[in-house]
């Protein structure tokens, strides 16, 4: 092929690449859209099986149709067998390869049937070889797709080998079906065979490569990084096969062409001396010889005698066979030629000499000058003769002097190179096609043998062993194939796993018994009686996991009438965690009997737990000291979950600061936070086993679902609420094995006795009423024997807050009531301001910058800032269309009147 024809062939080869990629991504798009709204598809496409067969048949029909169409736009080459020049070469055998390696074996079969039927109708000498190549190539593609690739899309390298295999098969059959005219077949095939081989292989590979790159799949395996046996074996197998192919083809080429050259030189040598002997016989015998195609050249370089068809022809004329005399060209000397040379001396230099008879050596454009023919030994050289490369042999014939002074001649014999190497070319190309086929077949067979029989079994064993290592002793290793070694190995491994399973069952039985005892001890240490008092009631619940954990809860009545409540979780699982839990629980009970300050209790407990803690365990805990008389709650969160608090009839997250977990850092001082529970408030403590409970999809229960469950419950006591939450978690997990303990504690505060009516004052919300409210509060505080300094501070608070309500709560002229309640029992001052004005939260106002100068400071906010700093707790809520402001203040001994003064 010319360069232009090669590029034309490459351009044609791009068409199936584009068609295949469009088909592939077109069906992918249809598949995605079909899954989104499958009811819009025809009925036969609504099942996965239906869509699969439609895709296979449709792609087979399309690719088969293109294999026909591309035949008519193939590249035209000369057909030396028929002599025509309209033989079209395309890539029809390429389509079954693409169909099988991209879509699947049904597509390959469909494409093959269409391409085969069409090829049977073509008139050229390519018909039957291509038909058989299509059938075998399509069958190879379908088989490789189904058994070698497991009905998956091919890697680009496998597609390259597939395209190479099918085209090599096609070219081999072209030779085998034209043995009677193999020389002409060779001249025809050598025009396009290399281009066809490369284009078929590269186009198949490029198609798969484009898809792999688009899908971000691994294109080239890094042997250094990917150290699997399969990768290494395939890489070395490929290297060995390629080296074998290269060495074999190189050896075949060298041997074929060297042997053809040596045979031609030997033949020329033999025929040159035959001419010499014929000439001697002609001069010595009485009758002429019947030599054919004899060329005798004089010393001066002139051709003297040509013989053909029993005639001796000189350059100056022709005489009949047997004449004794003829004219030498150039010297006009008569040499007698004896007659009656016997038949046994007949000589033939070559079967079919291509050049015209009657041309002299002067007319041959040789670079060798006649003066160079000086030796009498046999010599040869390559030279272009009349437009063709030829092998030329010559020798100087020295005849007896009795024949005359002009008796010395040069014998020159010529063979075209094309005729010398045609057999070598045929042999080499056949060897090349066979070697390619053998190479690919061996590579595929060895790769299948290794992948299907050895590597697959290794992968099965590796997967099974991984499951066994994860604890699944019910896993049974089932290897494929009939190899005795693998079955013996799998049987032995299964026996070993069976023995291990029995041993593990025994150990598990003993461990379960021991863990049951440990769980019983753990649960036995937790309170089972929960108080139901007039001011409060409390309930706790713990659902233990299969394995012993470190969750615990407790409530401890202290000497001062207060209650220590705690909810905790020890890090880790098993007996060590349970033992650490016992130690922590005992420590808290001991410290609460001698100490009253929560910060001191927790700090000392932390220091004790840090000692002799070589295992590095720690405890997360939420601890609080609750005063049932006043609702006061001091608390510390040591790395625990955030509790929920029910206020205004709804559970919500109770914000508090996270401190470091206990037993994590010795010498830590824990800061106490405080709040006040109002009658009806509830506090829910829980461990992370509640919110981190997982269902079969791996989704956690979560704090939002916990809040939602608590708020939707119509419980009438603490036990009912915790039981309902526990049932909700069990339903959510849906049988998934519980990994962690589920522990909860609920404190409900019902409050003390009702406030006395004389401690409540209701006024019209007008500025003039402010002094009345202040005087009322002062009188109540004075009756409780509180000193003037304390009363003055509280008076400022009431003045600020009542004035705000009087000025801003109601529209002018539509003022309504504002209620002030005061309670000073149990050394706790509790003041409530209640109005039904517009909703307004004074605690939300940002604190002013008290460090700024008067000019720089923004107006407003200073009054509420004084209120916040005077009271221990300022809390707002909007309930039943009322603004309620809660003010709490501890009454210390120094706030009372000293009667001794």
């Amino acid at each position: 092929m010319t360069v232009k024809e090669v590029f034309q062939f490459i351009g044609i080869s791009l068409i199936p690449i584009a068609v295949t990629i469009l088909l592939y991504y077109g069906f992918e798009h249809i598949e995605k859209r079909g899954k989104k709204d499958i009811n819009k598809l025809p009925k036969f496409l609504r099942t996965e099986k239906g869509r699969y067969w439609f895709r296979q048949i449709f792609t087979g029909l399309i690719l088969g149709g293109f294999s026909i169409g591309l035949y008519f736009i193939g590249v035209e080459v000369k057909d030396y067998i028929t002599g025509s020049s309209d033989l079209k070469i395309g890539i029809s055998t390429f389509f079954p390869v693409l169909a099988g390696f991209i879509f699947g074996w049904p597509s390959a079969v469909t494409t093959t049937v269409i391409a085969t039927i069409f090829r049977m109708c073509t008139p050229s000498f390519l018909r039957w070889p291509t038909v058989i190549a299509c059938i075998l190539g399509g069958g190879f593609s379908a088989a490789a797709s189904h058994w070698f690739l497991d009905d998956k899309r091919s890697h680009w390298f496998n597609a390259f080998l597939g395209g190479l295999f099918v085209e090599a098969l096609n070219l081999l059959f072209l030779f085998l079906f034209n043995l009677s005219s193999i020389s002409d077949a060779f001249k025809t095939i050598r025009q396009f065979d290399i281009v066809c081989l490369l284009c078929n292989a590269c186009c198949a590979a490029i198609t798969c490569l484009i898809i792999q790159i688009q899908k971000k799949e691994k294109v080239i395996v890094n042997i250094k990084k990917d150290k699997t046996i399969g990768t290494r074996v395939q890489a070395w197998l490929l290297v060995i096969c390629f080296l074998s192919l290269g060495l074999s083809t190189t050896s075949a080429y060298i041997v074929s062409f060297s042997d053809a050259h040596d045979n031609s030189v030997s033949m020329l040598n033999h025929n040159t001396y035959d001419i010499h002997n014929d000439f001697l016989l002609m001069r010595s015998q009485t009758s002429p010889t019947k030599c054919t195609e004899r060329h005798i050249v004089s010393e001066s370089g002139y051709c003297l005698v040509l013989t053909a068809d029993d005639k001796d022809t000189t350059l100056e004329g022709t005489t009949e066979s047997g004449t004794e005399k003829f004219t030498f060209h150039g010297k006009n000397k008569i040499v007698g030629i004896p007659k009656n040379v016997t038949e046994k001396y007949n000589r033939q230099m070559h079967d079919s000499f291509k050049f015209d008879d009657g041309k002299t050596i002067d007319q041959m454009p040789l670079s060798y000058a006649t003066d160079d023919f000086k030796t009498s030994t046999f010599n040869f050289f390559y030279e272009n003769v009349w437009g063709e490369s030829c092998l030329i042999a010559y020798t100087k014939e020295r005849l007896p002097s009795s024949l005359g002074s002009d008796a010395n001649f040069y014998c020159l014999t010529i063979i075209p190179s094309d005729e010398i190497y045609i057999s070598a070319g045929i042999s080499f190309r056949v060897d090349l096609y066979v070697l390619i086929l053998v190479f690919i077949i061996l590579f595929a067979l060895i790769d299948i043998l290794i992948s299907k029989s050895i590597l697959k079994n290794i992968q099965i064993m590796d997967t099974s062993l991984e499951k066994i290592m994860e604890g699944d002793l019910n896993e049974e290793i089932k290897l494929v194939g009939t190899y005795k070694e693998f079955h013996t190995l799998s049987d032995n491994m299964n026996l070993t796993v069976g023995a291990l399973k029995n041993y593990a069952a025994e150990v598990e039985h003993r461990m379960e018994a021991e863990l049951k005892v440990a769980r019983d001890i753990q649960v036995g240490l937790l309170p089972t009686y929960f108080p139901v008092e007039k001011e409060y009631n409390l309930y706790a619940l713990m659902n233990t996991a299969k394995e012993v954990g470190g969750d615990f809860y407790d409530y401890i009545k202290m000497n001062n009438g207060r209650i220590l409540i705690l909810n905790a979780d020890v890090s880790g699982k098993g007996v060590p965690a349970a033992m650490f839990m016992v130690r922590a629980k005992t420590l808290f009970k001991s410290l609460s009997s001698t100490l009253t300050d929560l910060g001191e209790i927790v700090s000392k407990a932390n220091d004790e737990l840090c000692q002799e803690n070589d295992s590095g365990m720690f405890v997360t805990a939420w601890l609080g000291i609750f005063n049932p008389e006043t609702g006061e709650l001091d608390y510390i969160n040591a790395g625990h979950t955030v509790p929920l608090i029910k206020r205004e009839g709804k559970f919500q997250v109770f914000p508090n600061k996270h401190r470091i977990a206990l037993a994590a850092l010795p010498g830590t001082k824990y800061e106490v936070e405080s709040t006040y529970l109002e009658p009806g408030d509830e506090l829910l403590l829980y461990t992370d086993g509640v919110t981190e409970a997982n269902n079969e999809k791996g989704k956690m229960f979560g704090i939002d679902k916990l809040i939602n469950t608590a708020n939707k419950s119509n419980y009438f006591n603490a036990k009912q609420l915790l039981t309902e939450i526990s049932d909700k978690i069990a339903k959510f997990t849906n049988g998934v094995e519980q990994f962690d303990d589920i522990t909860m504690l609920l404190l409900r505060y019902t409050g003390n006795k009702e406030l006395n009516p004389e401690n409540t004052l209701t006024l019209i919300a007008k500025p003039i009423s402010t002094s009345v409210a202040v005087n009322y509060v002062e009188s109540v505080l004075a009756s409780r024997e509180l000193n003037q300094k304390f009363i003055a501070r509280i008076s400022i608070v009431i003045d600020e807050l009542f004035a705000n309500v009087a000025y801003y709560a109601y529209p002018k002229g539509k003022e309504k009531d504002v209620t002030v309640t005061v309670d000073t029992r149990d050394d706790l001052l509790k003041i409530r301001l209640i109005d039904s004005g517009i909703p307004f939260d004074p605690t939300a106002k940002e604190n002013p910058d008290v460090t700024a100068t008067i000019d720089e400071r923004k107006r407003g906010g200073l009054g509420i800032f004084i209120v916040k700093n005077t009271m221990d707790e300022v809390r707002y809520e909007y309930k039943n269309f009322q603004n309620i402001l809660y003010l709490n203040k501890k009454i210390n001994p120094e706030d009372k009147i000293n009667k001794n003064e």
Side-chain angles (χ1 to χ4, degrees):
M1 283 187 181
T2 63
V3 175
K4 180 180 178 181
E5 290 171 339
V6 170
F7 278 103
Q8 182 182 349
F9 194 89
I10 293 173
I12 295 172
S13 303
L14 296 177
I15 296 176
I17 296 177
V19 171
T20 305
I21 291 176
L22 288 174
L23 281 174
Y24 182 84
Y25 285 109
F27 273 102
E28 269 205 346
H29 180 70
I30 293 172
E31 186 74 15
K32 289 179 181 178
R33 294 195 64 181
K35 287 181 179 179
K36 289 181 179 179
D37 196 352
I38 200 167
N39 293 325
K40 290 185 178 181
L41 296 175
K43 189 174 182 180
F44 70 95
L45 292 178
R46 293 178 185 175
T47 64
E48 188 174 344
K49 185 176 181 181
R51 292 194 299 274
Y52 170 81
W53 281 103
F54 174 76
R55 178 182 185 179
Q56 296 295 325
I57 301 301
F58 184 81
T59 53
L61 291 172
I62 294 297
L63 294 178
F66 269 92
S67 70
I68 296 174
L70 288 184
Y71 170 80
F72 296 101
I73 59 171
V75 178
E76 290 187 357
V77 297
K78 184 176 181 180
D79 184 357
Y80 284 90
I81 296 176
T82 61
S84 64
S85 60
D86 59 350
L87 179 64
K88 291 185 177 180
I89 303 299
I91 51 173
S92 58
T93 56
F94 172 54
F95 284 94
V97 177
L98 277 182
F101 281 72
I102 300 293
F103 298 103
W105 69 267
S107 180
V109 172
T110 306
T111 306
T112 301
V113 170
I114 296 173
T116 301
I117 293 174
F118 171 73
R119 278 297 181 178
M120 292 177 68
C121 302
T122 56
S124 68
F125 83 100
L126 302 174
R127 179 195 305 164
W128 293 112
T130 309
V131 165
I132 295 176
C134 273
I135 294 173
L136 294 179
F140 165 78
S141 177
S145 173
H146 186 62
W147 285 296
F148 181 64
L149 301 174
D150 296 326
D151 292 322
K152 297 178 181 177
R153 177 172 40 81
S154 170
H155 187 272
W156 68 267
F157 183 74
N158 293 330
F160 177 84
L161 294 182
L164 198 66
F165 179 86
V166 172
E167 188 57 31
L169 196 67
N170 182 32
L171 294 170
L172 181 63
F173 278 110
L174 288 178
F175 274 108
L176 296 179
F177 274 79
N178 292 280
L179 293 176
S180 59
S181 55
I182 193 167
S183 296
D184 293 328
F186 168 72
K187 294 174 185 178
T188 304
I189 294 170
R190 70 179 177 180
Q191 298 175 91
F192 57 81
D193 59 343
I194 301 300
V195 176
C196 283
L197 277 171
L198 293 176
C199 278
N200 274 272
C202 291
C203 288
I206 290 170
T207 306
C208 292
L209 184 63
I210 291 172
I211 297 175
Q212 283 184 256
I213 293 173
Q214 193 275 332
K215 291 185 171 293
K216 298 180 180 180
E217 297 175 353
K218 185 181 289 186
V219 174
I220 299 176
V221 177
N222 191 328
I223 300 177
K224 291 184 178 180
K225 292 183 179 180
D226 191 351
K227 297 182 179 180
T228 59
I229 296 176
T231 303
R232 292 295 180 90
V233 169
Q234 286 181 332
W236 282 109
L237 177 62
L238 185 64
V239 170
I240 292 171
C241 289
F242 264 120
L243 287 176
S244 301
L245 177 65
L247 291 174
S248 300
T249 53
T250 303
S251 300
Y253 180 86
I254 293 172
V255 170
S256 298
F257 283 87
S258 296
D259 188 57
H261 172 80
D262 293 343
N263 289 338
S264 297
V265 170
S266 176
M267 182 189 67
L268 290 179
N269 186 17
H270 177 74
N271 287 330
T272 300
Y273 283 103
D274 279 350
I275 295 171
H276 166 74
N277 292 334
D278 284 345
F279 187 77
L280 291 178
L281 287 172
M282 286 166 41
R283 297 300 300 266
S284 61
Q285 300 296 328
T286 57
S287 63
T289 182
K290 293 183 179 181
C291 299
T292 60
E293 295 191 26
R294 182 173 64 254
H295 300 242
I296 302 174
V297 184
S298 68
E299 283 186 338
S300 59
Y302 293 108
C303 182
L304 301 179
V305 177
L306 301 173
T307 62
D309 300 324
D310 296 333
K311 294 181 180 180
D312 291 339
T313 303
T314 67
L315 297 180
E316 293 186 350
T318 301
T319 59
E320 293 295 331
S321 176
T323 57
E324 295 185 3
K325 297 178 181 179
F326 60 89
T327 304
F328 280 88
H329 179 72
K331 294 198 177 180
N332 298 319
K333 286 194 177 181
I334 303 301
V335 178
I337 300 178
K339 297 180 182 180
N340 303 323
V341 177
T342 61
E343 289 293 330
K344 69 177 182 178
Y345 295 114
N346 285 349
R347 297 289 186 268
Q348 181 174 342
M349 188 185 77
H350 202 273
D351 291 332
S352 57
F353 191 67
K354 295 175 59 175
F355 304 116
D356 297 333
D357 291 340
K359 289 192 176 181
T360 68
I361 195 171
D362 295 330
Q363 295 172 296
M364 298 165 61
L366 300 177
S367 59
Y368 255 73
T370 53
D371 292 339
D372 294 328
F373 302 141
K374 300 299 183 183
T375 178
S376 60
T377 58
F378 175 75
N379 286 279
F380 63 91
F381 59 94
Y382 283 94
E383 190 69 73
N384 284 329
V385 179
W386 298 308
E388 273 196 72
S389 175
C390 298
L391 177 63
I392 303 172
Y394 68 92
T395 185
K396 186 176 182 180
E397 304 302 335
R398 297 188 178 278
L399 302 181
S401 57
S402 58
L403 297 178
S405 59
D406 293 324
N408 295 329
F409 302 95
Y410 288 100
C411 290
L412 189 69
T413 53
I414 302 174
I415 300 179
S417 299
D418 195 38
E419 294 186 17
I420 296 174
Y421 295 116
I422 193 167
S423 60
I426 295 171
S427 176
F428 170 70
R429 271 176 163 74
V430 172
D431 289 344
L432 176 63
Y433 305 150
V434 172
L435 286 171
I436 290 174
L437 296 175
V438 171
F439 155 70
I440 296 175
I441 291 172
L442 285 177
F443 178 81
L445 290 177
I446 296 173
D447 192 55
I448 290 173
L449 176 66
I450 294 173
S451 300
K452 300 291 184 182
S453 301
I454 300 176
L455 296 180
K456 189 172 183 179
N457 283 324
I458 293 175
Q459 186 177 10
I460 292 172
M461 286 191 292
D462 184 60
T463 303
S464 297
L465 288 174
E466 186 175 348
K467 292 181 180 179
I468 293 169
M469 292 296 291
E470 291 175 353
D472 184 7
L473 298 181
N474 293 320
E475 175 68 16
E476 183 179 358
I477 301 174
K478 297 179 180 179
L479 303 181
V480 297
T482 57
Y483 301 102
K484 180 180 178 181
E485 293 83 358
F486 281 120
H487 286 289
T488 303
L489 178 61
S490 63
D491 292 342
N492 291 335
M493 293 178 71
N494 286 330
L495 289 173
T496 303
V497 174
L500 181 62
K501 181 179 178 182
N502 294 332
Y503 176 74
E506 295 177 6
V507 172
E508 184 178 3
H509 180 71
R510 290 197 301 268
M511 288 184 65
E512 284 182 354
E514 294 175 359
L515 290 175
K516 185 178 183 303
V517 173
R519 279 197 298 271
D520 292 342
I521 294 173
Q522 178 187 5
V523 174
L525 291 172
L526 301 177
T528 57
Y529 168 76
F530 301 101
V532 180
E533 304 291 345
K534 181 173 60 175
E535 298 88 357
Y536 72 97
N537 63 77
L538 183 147
Y539 187 78
L541 175 148
M542 185 171 77
N543 295 330
T544 58
K546 183 177 181 181
E547 188 176 2
V548 175
D551 282 14
F552 67 98
Y553 62 85
D554 204 353
Y555 72 93
I556 303 167
K557 289 187 177 181
M558 303 175 69
N559 297 331
N560 57 5
R562 300 187 180 191
I563 302 170
L564 173 67
I565 59 173
L566 65 95
N567 184 257
D569 185 5
V570 178
S571 64
K573 301 292 177 188
V575 175
M579 297 300 293
F580 203 77
M581 162 257 176
V582 172
R583 182 184 173 193
K585 183 180 182 300
T586 305
L587 189 58
F588 283 120
K589 192 174 187 67
S590 173
L591 291 171
S592 63
S593 65
T594 58
L595 301 174
T596 58
D597 182 73
L598 180 61
E600 190 176 358
I601 292 173
V602 175
S603 298
K604 284 187 176 294
N606 175 67
D607 292 339
E608 289 288 337
L609 292 172
C610 286
Q611 295 179 13
E612 299 178 3
N613 184 19
D614 297 334
S615 59
M617 303 185 77
F618 59 88
V619 182
T620 67
W622 198 97
L623 305 97
I625 293 180
F626 174 63
N627 186 345
E629 293 293 328
T630 64
E632 181 184 8
L633 179 66
D634 295 335
Y635 60 90
I636 294 174
N637 188 338
H640 202 61
T641 54
V642 179
L644 304 181
I645 191 167
K646 183 178 182 181
R647 280 175 173 163
E648 304 178 34
K650 288 186 178 180
F651 278 97
Q652 55 191 304
V653 173
F654 179 44
N656 46 205
K657 296 180 181 179
H658 272 78
R659 313 296 178 183
I660 191 170
L662 303 175
L665 183 65
T668 302
K669 299 301 179 183
Y670 289 85
E671 182 182 348
V672 179
E673 296 180 82
S674 297
T675 190
Y676 293 91
L677 300 182
E678 298 296 328
D681 287 355
E682 299 179 13
L683 183 68
L684 176 59
L685 309 178
Y686 58 92
T687 60
D688 56 6
V690 174
T691 53
E692 294 180 4
N694 287 300
N695 62 10
E696 65 274 7
K697 296 181 179 179
K699 186 178 180 180
M700 292 193 297
F701 189 73
I703 191 169
D704 291 337
K705 191 175 288 293
L706 175 62
I707 294 174
N708 190 46
T709 302
N711 284 329
K712 287 184 177 180
S713 175
N714 294 318
Y715 62 97
F716 56 86
N717 59 30
K719 180 179 180 180
Q720 184 183 6
L721 174 62
L722 299 189
T723 302
E724 189 171 334
I725 294 173
S726 178
D727 293 341
K728 191 74 173 181
I729 293 172
K731 184 178 180 180
F732 174 80
T733 56
N734 194 27
V736 175
E737 185 177 353
Q738 182 181 334
F739 176 74
D740 201 358
D741 293 343
I742 294 174
T743 307
M744 295 177 285
L745 183 147
L746 181 70
L747 172 66
R748 300 185 75 189
Y749 179 52
T750 56
N752 206 342
K753 53 192 174 182
E754 294 295 330
L755 295 173
N756 295 325
E758 61 268 19
N759 293 341
T760 302
L761 176 67
T762 301
L763 300 169
I764 297 297
K766 292 185 176 181
I768 195 172
S769 302
T770 302
S771 59
V772 178
V774 172
N775 291 334
Y776 166 73
V777 174
E778 287 179 348
S779 64
V780 173
L781 297 181
S783 68
R784 300 295 189 268
E785 298 182 346
L786 297 172
N787 59 41
Q788 287 300 316
K789 184 179 179 181
F790 180 84
I791 294 173
R793 292 201 303 269
I794 301 303
S795 297
I796 294 172
V797 170
I798 300 302
D799 183 78
E800 170 67 24
L801 296 177
F802 194 93
N804 283 340
V805 175
Y807 279 105
Y808 305 113
Y810 301 103
K812 192 173 183 180
K814 297 182 180 180
E815 294 86 354
K816 294 184 180 180
D817 295 342
V818 55
T819 300
V820 182
T821 65
V822 184
D823 186 6
T824 58
R825 289 167 296 175
D826 304 313
D827 293 334
L828 178 65
L829 172 62
K830 299 169 71 174
I831 301 175
R832 306 290 181 265
L833 270 72
I834 305 170
D835 68 80
S836 55
I838 59 174
F840 176 70
D841 179 10
T843 64
K845 192 169 183 62
E846 186 179 355
N847 292 333
D849 184 5
V850 295
T851 62
T853 63
I854 296 177
D855 296 333
E856 295 174 344
R857 188 182 307 159
K858 295 180 180 178
R859 295 185 62 186
L862 188 58
I864 192 63
F865 176 74
I866 295 173
V867 172
K868 290 178 181 178
N869 281 274
T870 301
M871 307 304 290
D872 292 334
E873 181 181 34
V874 180
R875 182 162 53 85
Y876 167 85
E877 71 176 2
Y878 188 77
K879 184 177 181 181
N880 298 327
F881 303 103
Q882 289 182 319
N883 295 298
I884 305 174
L885 192 63
Y886 299 89
L887 306 171
N888 298 317
K889 176 72 174 177
K890 281 186 181 181
I891 301 175
N892 300 313
E894 60 269 20
D895 297 326
K896 297 180 180 181
I897 297 173
N898 190 348
K899 295 181 180 181
N900 295 325
E901 292 181 354

